[in-house]
Amino acid sequence: MSNSAQNNGMNKILLVVVLILVSFGVAVVYSASAPYALANGRPAEHYMLSHLPKAIGGVVGMLVLGRFVDYGHWKWLGRVVFVLFFVLSVAALLKGGSVKGANRWIWGIQPSEFMKLGLIIWISAKLSEAGDNIKSVACSLVQPGIPFVLCAFVLIMQPNYSMLIMVTAIVVCVMITAGVNMKYLGYVAAGAIPLALIRLMTSTHSRARILAFFAEDGEMAASNWQGDHALQALGNGGLFGTGFGQGVQKLGYLPESHKDVVYAVIGEEFGFVGTMLVLILFTLLFAQGFKIAQNASTRFGKYLALGLTLSLFFNFCVHVCVCVGLFPTTGQPLPFFSFGGTNLLYTSAAIGILLNISRPSSGRKIKESFSSRASLESSVLRNFEFTRSGV
C-alpha cells in the first residue's frame, strides 16, 4: 500500500494492528496467568483484571498522543522525561529493593523503561540539530554519548544487561542513520566490547545463564529451566495448538509464563498457526514504523520514529529468541502480551508518538536547516514528488 494510509491522518494500518495485538494480549494474559493466580489463592482472572485497565489506559494514552500532542514538543519534553526517570532509576537502585537479584523497580514501576524513551528522544533531537557539524567529535560522540553513558551506568548497576544491549543497538543504528563519523564509533566499540564481555562473564547474574545456555543438551541447569520448558511448550503446540486455556507447561513447569516467556504459551495453545499470526502482526507493525520514519518531514521525526520502532523490534526479537532457544534466558517482555504495566505503557507511548509523526500536519513548527547532506537529499526527494504530482 502507498502513502494512502497516512494521507488522511494518522497511519491507520498501524492503529488497527496495535488494537488487534492489545485485544489478543488481554486474552493471552488471562490464559497464561490463571494457573499462577489459582496457585496463589487468587481468582483465575486476577491478573487479567489487573492488566485490562492498563491496556485500556494505554490505548487511550496512545490515541491522545497520536492525535493531540505534536511530536515537535518532544524535543524538549524528552529531556525532562530522561532526567526524571533517570533519577527514579537511581532511587530504585538505592531504595527500591532487590527482586530476583535485580534493583529495577520502585513504587510498582520500572523507571528504566521510560528512561529509555527519554534517551531515544534526546539523542534524536541532538542529532537532528547537528546539521553540517554531524561529523564533529561533539555531535558524533560527546552530545549523544553523555545521556547514553548515564543510562548505561544505571542499567549495569541494576543489572539489566539485555536492555543495555538493546539500547546500545538502538542508539548506534540511529547515529549511523544520522551520518555520524564512523571513526569515532569504531574507537568506542574497540574499547567497549571487550569490557562488556568481561563484565558479562564476571557477573554472577549473567554468567550462570550464559553457561547454562551453552551447556550440553539435556542438562537441566537451574538457570536454563525456563528456556527448556519454553521449548517444550512450543513443541507441544504442534500445528494448531492444544486450545485456548489448555496449555500444560504453564501449570507450574514454566516460570513467569505470563511475563518473560508468554510467546511460548501462545505457541502451546495456538500452535504454529498462532505464532505465525503474531509474527505477521508484528511484521506489519515494524514495517509501518519504518515507513513512518522514511516519510517523516523532519530529521527529528525520522530519527525518533526509527529509534522507537527499533526499540519495539529488539524487544520482540529478544523475547522470541529466548523462547525458541536462540538466546540465553532473560527477562524481556513481549510487547502487548506480557503482564506488567510499565512495558505496556511504554509501548503505548511509543506507538502514540509514531502515530503522531505519521500525521502530515504534525511537526510543522520544527525548524531545521537543510544544508546537511541528509537534509539536502530529503529536500530533493520532496521537490521531485511535488513536481511529479503537478504541484
Side-chain angles (χ1 to χ4, degrees), residues 8-230:
N8 297 317
M10 63 180 65
N11 188 301
K12 296 178 178 62
I13 297 176
L14 178 60
L15 179 60
V16 170
V17 167
V18 168
L19 292 177
I20 294 172
L21 287 170
V22 170
S23 302
F24 191 12
V26 171
V28 170
V29 165
Y30 171 68
S31 178
S33 65
Y36 182 76
L38 292 171
N40 286 275
R42 297 184 173 117
E45 64 274 10
H46 174 80
Y47 290 99
M48 185 273 288
L49 292 177
S50 175
H51 181 83
L52 183 59
K54 299 167 188 173
I56 295 173
V59 170
V60 172
M62 174 188 74
L63 294 174
V64 170
L65 290 176
R67 179 66 179 84
F68 298 108
V69 182
D70 191 291
Y71 75 89
H73 296 310
W74 289 105
K75 290 195 77 172
W76 65 269
L77 275 175
R79 304 178 194 194
V80 176
V81 170
F82 178 83
V83 172
L84 173 62
F85 286 99
F86 171 78
V87 171
L88 286 177
S89 296
V90 173
L93 291 175
L94 301 176
K95 300 292 185 179
S98 177
V99 179
K100 297 184 178 180
N103 300 80
R104 304 174 189 172
W105 294 269
I106 186 170
W107 302 327
I109 66 170
Q110 186 177 346
S112 56
E113 286 279 2
F114 294 103
M115 180 178 65
K116 175 178 66 177
L117 174 63
L119 176 69
I120 294 171
I121 298 171
W122 189 342
I123 288 179
S124 297
K126 296 307 293 185
L127 291 174
S128 69
E129 295 165 358
D132 286 334
N133 296 321
I134 190 67
K135 299 290 185 182
S136 67
V137 175
C139 295
S140 291
L141 199 60
V142 178
Q143 292 179 353
I146 291 173
F148 172 76
V149 169
L150 293 173
C151 180
F153 170 77
V154 169
L155 295 178
I156 290 171
M157 296 304 296
Q158 285 182 344
N160 193 348
Y161 299 121
S162 55
M163 182 181 285
L164 176 58
I165 292 171
M166 290 189 294
V167 166
T168 303
I170 294 165
V171 170
V172 169
C173 288
V174 173
M175 291 174 70
I176 291 174
T177 302
V180 301
N181 195 322
M182 294 297 294
K183 177 177 66 176
Y184 300 131
L185 282 183
Y187 292 154
V188 173
I193 291 175
L195 292 175
L197 293 174
I198 292 171
R199 176 67 182 181
L200 285 173
M201 294 310 299
T202 55
S203 170
T204 305
H205 184 81
S206 59
R207 185 171 181 271
R209 293 183 177 185
I210 295 173
L211 293 178
F213 177 74
F214 289 104
E216 295 180 2
D217 292 339
E219 191 173 325
M220 292 287 288
S223 295
N224 205 39
W225 175 275
Q226 190 180 56
D228 289 337
H229 281 275

Side-chain angles (χ1 to χ4, degrees), residues 35 229 232-233 236 242-243 245-254 265 268-269:
H229 281 275
Q232 290 183 33
N236 291 345
T242 59
Q246 301 302 310
V248 174
Q249 291 299 316
K250 66 185 182 183
L251 304 176
Y253 302 103
L254 188 59
V265 176
E268 184 171 23
E269 299 191 352

Side-chain angles (χ1 to χ4, degrees), residues 127-371:
L127 291 174
S128 69
E129 295 165 358
D132 286 334
N133 296 321
I134 190 67
K135 299 290 185 182
S136 67
V137 175
C139 295
S140 291
L141 199 60
V142 178
Q143 292 179 353
I146 291 173
F148 172 76
V149 169
L150 293 173
C151 180
F153 170 77
V154 169
L155 295 178
I156 290 171
M157 296 304 296
Q158 285 182 344
N160 193 348
Y161 299 121
S162 55
M163 182 181 285
L164 176 58
I165 292 171
M166 290 189 294
V167 166
T168 303
I170 294 165
V171 170
V172 169
C173 288
V174 173
M175 291 174 70
I176 291 174
T177 302
V180 301
N181 195 322
M182 294 297 294
K183 177 177 66 176
Y184 300 131
L185 282 183
Y187 292 154
V188 173
I193 291 175
L195 292 175
L197 293 174
I198 292 171
R199 176 67 182 181
L200 285 173
M201 294 310 299
T202 55
S203 170
T204 305
H205 184 81
S206 59
R207 185 171 181 271
R209 293 183 177 185
I210 295 173
L211 293 178
F213 177 74
F214 289 104
E216 295 180 2
D217 292 339
E219 191 173 325
M220 292 287 288
S223 295
N224 205 39
W225 175 275
Q226 190 180 56
D228 289 337
H229 281 275
L231 285 175
Q232 290 183 33
L234 291 169
N236 291 345
L239 184 59
F240 296 106
T242 59
F244 179 69
Q246 301 302 310
V248 174
Q249 291 299 316
K250 66 185 182 183
L251 304 176
Y253 302 103
L254 188 59
E256 305 290 345
S257 59
H258 57 304
K259 297 180 181 179
D260 299 345
V261 284
V262 71
Y263 184 77
V265 176
I266 297 172
E268 184 171 23
E269 299 191 352
F270 297 94
F272 175 78
V273 173
T275 56
M276 284 304 299
L277 173 62
V278 171
L279 290 175
I280 290 170
L281 288 171
F282 273 104
T283 299
L284 286 172
L285 187 155
F286 301 139
Q288 293 306 308
F290 291 131
K291 179 182 286 187
I292 291 169
Q294 182 181 30
N295 294 333
S297 59
T298 65
R299 290 196 300 271
F300 176 60
K302 291 179 185 294
Y303 304 155
L304 180 55
L306 175 62
L308 294 175
T309 304
L310 286 174
S311 72
L312 302 179
F313 174 76
F314 289 135
N315 222 150
F316 171 81
C317 287
V318 170
H319 182 98
V320 172
C321 287
V322 166
C323 290
V324 301
L326 293 178
F327 287 174
T329 302
T330 186
Q332 290 303 319
L334 181 64
F336 304 110
F337 287 90
S338 292
F339 175 81
T342 306
N343 182 261
L344 181 59
L345 293 177
Y346 166 81
T347 302
S348 300
I351 295 296
I353 296 171
L354 282 172
L355 288 172
N356 188 264
I357 296 173
S358 73
R359 301 186 70 222
S361 60
S362 295
R364 291 184 175 180
K365 294 183 179 179
I366 296 177
K367 303 298 182 182
E368 295 176 339
S369 66
F370 291 99
S371 57

